[in-house]
Amino acid sequence: MTTSSRPRISGTQFITADTAPRARLSLGASHRDPHHPVTGTGSAVEAIDVPADESCMVCAPATRRLAEELFDEWNDALQTGDAHRVTALYAEDGVLLPTVSNVPRTNHAEIQDYFEHFLEKKPVGTINTRNVKLGCNKLTDAGTYTFRVTDGDETRDVPARYTFVWENRDGRWLIVHHHSSVMPTE
């Protein structure tokens, strides 16, 4: 392993291209055990949480509380009934695999179109179970939630599974992947 001539910053290890393949881990890998590294060399698989050309990355603080706040922000945006406001929480290249549509939404126009129809049901989400994984500028929140929706005079609860993947981009947490599906019947 080659040592870097750069000064160490508060214990941060700089990663270089000539680092031994098994030793090359992203800063986000500190949240994982040695058997589940996210990045590495010697394979055709590209890094998923650190750009390949970066040798140092500053990681925004990510916590379980942040996951709760981000969901609340998204749920509050639903309450406004404004599809544009909800869509603004998604990255331009974000992907939405929605609860009540078989069509994957892969850009803002498609995501907004989905929410224009979904928000007519006046959805209110409540988290039932949550599992949060933290990474470098990335946060994954997965679990189950229940939506209370209104169709005409009928109000009903719809249990569903969800996954939100949030990335910190230019200081703002945005949804890069959101999957929601109605809970299967047994």
Side-chain angles (χ1 to χ4, degrees):
M1 181 171 152
T2 305
T3 58
S4 174
S5 61
R6 298 183 205 177
R8 289 187 70 138
I9 301 171
S10 64
T12 301
Q13 177 184 0
F14 291 95
I15 301 167
T16 61
D18 57 351
T19 301
R22 293 302 301 159
R24 185 172 177 213
L25 301 175
S26 71
L27 295 176
S30 65
H31 296 288
R32 297 165 183 84
D33 64 43
H35 305 290
H36 298 93
V38 173
T39 63
T41 59
S43 74
V45 177
E46 292 294 321
I48 63 169
D49 72 342
V50 178
D53 61 347
E54 292 288 328
S55 61
C56 179
M57 182 172 231
V58 176
C59 300
T63 63
R64 179 180 171 88
R65 180 71 192 129
L66 177 62
E68 294 166 358
E69 291 171 359
L70 291 170
F71 175 81
D72 289 345
E73 179 182 6
W74 178 81
N75 197 32
D76 290 346
L78 295 180
Q79 314 302 300
T80 68
D82 181 352
H84 179 67
R85 184 167 169 191
V86 178
T87 303
L89 299 174
Y90 290 78
E92 288 288 337
D93 61 342
V95 174
L96 169 63
L97 303 174
T99 313
V100 294
S101 172
N102 292 329
V103 179
R105 312 303 171 115
T106 59
N107 60 54
H108 267 197
E110 294 171 350
I111 292 169
Q112 184 165 328
D113 176 69
Y114 171 77
F115 281 112
E116 285 172 357
H117 300 287
F118 183 62
L119 294 179
E120 292 172 355
K121 300 178 186 303
K122 300 179 177 74
V124 178
T126 303
I127 298 288
N128 301 323
T129 64
R130 159 178 274 141
N131 185 302
V132 176
K133 302 294 183 197
L134 307 174
C136 182
N137 293 320
K138 185 169 285 193
L139 181 151
T140 301
D141 180 4
T144 60
Y145 52 17
T146 301
F147 274 103
R148 175 154 287 168
V149 294
T150 304
D151 281 320
D153 293 335
E154 179 189 355
T155 299
R156 61 188 174 98
D157 289 338
V158 179
R161 303 176 286 191
Y162 74 90
T163 302
F164 284 98
V165 179
W166 299 83
E167 280 186 6
N168 188 291
R169 294 187 177 179
D170 298 320
R172 185 164 175 240
W173 288 95
L174 297 170
I175 302 166
V176 295
H177 180 86
H178 177 197
H179 173 222
S180 182
S181 58
V182 174
M183 194 70 75
T185 58
E186 294 188 44

